[in-house]
Amino acid sequence: MTPRQRSARFAATTAALRLQVRIAGMRAARQVDPQHRSIVVIDMADFGRRTDLAQLHARTSLDRVVNAAFRASEIAWHRLVNEDRGDGMIVFIPATVSKAVLLHPFLPQLITRLRDYNAQVGAGHRIRVRVAVHAGEVVHGPHGWIGTDLNFACRLVDSAPLYQALARQTQSDVAVAVSEVIHQAVVRHGHRGIDPASYKPVHVAVKEVATRAWIHVPAEHVSANNHGMSA
């Protein structure tokens, strides 16, 4: 076989493989239905200022803290899908778990465990997080979960009002933004002792998103065992 013939055969084989991949992708896309999930996005503040080893330690510690907070809220970790964000994570919670549980007890459990962790480490290793809570339809594709509602949750956690809220409250370890969906379904009704007045409306404008969200910075004295708390 001449070099030209080998080149032509290689090109034909490559084209055939690309066509097979494209057809498989189209079939998969047709067969995948959206699934309803609650979405919690957690992002560490000032992560890029840490050294590589400090980032690794902080990320590992955050995993343990979040895992423990979910377990303490009686949400088994194996029921969740956790996707890495480098400086944080995206957690998908099944529709069978009440959205109210994500604001109480999960949120106060997260606050308590972060406070306990930070009390044991130096100021340079303190972990502070921005949290976004939303719910909607997502699709599981070949490379993970996708969807407009997932994009929206990520926009919330990256929004300027949430950054500013955590920056202002230097004694707090957590600042939370909830979507209008979560506010209407949970917060405004005061489920589980949540104080609706502690969630402040803000305008979020990030990329394709321009909407109202609600920001809450839990008080430093909040206890995970306080069922009348304002988270």
Side-chain angles (χ1 to χ4, degrees), residues 4 6 15 22-23 26 36 49 75 85 91 98 117 119 137 146 150 153 180 202 214 221 230:
R4 179 174 293 180
R6 283 197 296 270
R22 183 179 179 185
I23 292 173
M26 292 172 64
H36 188 83
R49 297 181 180 179
I75 305 174
R85 265 176 62 101
V91 184
S98 170
Y117 170 83
E137 306 306 308
I146 61 171
L150 172 57
E180 187 74 10
V202 297
W214 300 78
H221 65 272
S230 61

Side-chain angles (χ1 to χ4, degrees), residues 16-38:
L17 288 174
R18 286 176 178 170
L19 180 59
Q20 290 175 9
V21 170
R22 183 179 179 185
I23 292 173
M26 292 172 64
R27 287 174 177 170
R30 286 197 299 267
Q31 295 170 356
V32 173
D33 291 325
Q35 302 176 43
H36 188 83
R37 293 288 187 274
S38 294

Side-chain angles (χ1 to χ4, degrees), residues 72-90:
S73 305
E74 299 184 352
I75 305 174
W77 189 248
H78 71 267
R79 297 180 60 194
L80 311 177
V81 175
N82 174 22
E83 292 196 352
D84 180 64
R85 265 176 62 101
D87 56 354
M89 65 185 73
I90 303 171

Side-chain angles (χ1 to χ4, degrees), residues 146-200:
I146 61 171
T148 300
D149 284 305
L150 172 57
N151 295 342
F152 181 83
C154 293
R155 302 298 182 250
L156 282 185
V157 87
D158 288 336
S159 66
L162 190 58
Y163 268 88
Q164 294 161 2
L166 187 61
R168 283 194 303 268
Q169 301 294 331
T170 58
Q171 297 305 308
S172 296
D173 296 322
V174 178
V176 185
V178 303
S179 66
E180 187 74 10
V181 169
I182 299 298
H183 186 269
Q184 288 295 316
V186 178
V187 175
R188 76 181 183 92
H189 300 289
H191 288 307
R192 292 179 169 259
I194 294 167
D195 177 14
S198 69
Y199 285 75
K200 308 301 181 183

Side-chain angles (χ1 to χ4, degrees), residues 30-155:
R30 286 197 299 267
Q31 295 170 356
V32 173
D33 291 325
Q35 302 176 43
H36 188 83
R37 293 288 187 274
S38 294
I39 306 166
V40 175
V41 185
I42 303 175
D43 222 24
M44 273 189 282
D46 299 324
F47 187 74
R49 297 181 180 179
R50 302 172 190 258
T51 65
D52 289 351
L53 292 180
Q55 288 182 13
L56 177 61
H57 179 76
R59 188 64 181 79
T60 303
S61 299
L62 180 64
D63 279 353
R64 287 198 296 264
V65 165
V66 173
N67 187 321
F70 272 114
R71 285 190 286 104
S73 305
E74 299 184 352
I75 305 174
W77 189 248
H78 71 267
R79 297 180 60 194
L80 311 177
V81 175
N82 174 22
E83 292 196 352
D84 180 64
R85 265 176 62 101
D87 56 354
M89 65 185 73
I90 303 171
V91 184
F92 298 90
I93 300 95
T96 52
V97 176
S98 170
K99 297 174 181 62
V101 172
L102 302 179
L103 301 186
H104 196 287
F106 172 70
L107 182 55
Q109 290 288 349
L110 178 64
I111 295 165
T112 297
R113 279 159 175 72
L114 272 180
R115 183 178 62 231
D116 292 346
Y117 170 83
N118 288 334
Q120 300 173 19
V121 300
H125 297 283
R126 181 185 179 191
I127 294 177
R128 305 177 73 221
V129 297
R130 298 181 309 280
V131 179
V133 184
H134 180 46
E137 306 306 308
V138 290
V139 174
H140 190 261
H143 305 293
W145 293 89
I146 61 171
T148 300
D149 284 305
L150 172 57
N151 295 342
F152 181 83
C154 293
R155 302 298 182 250

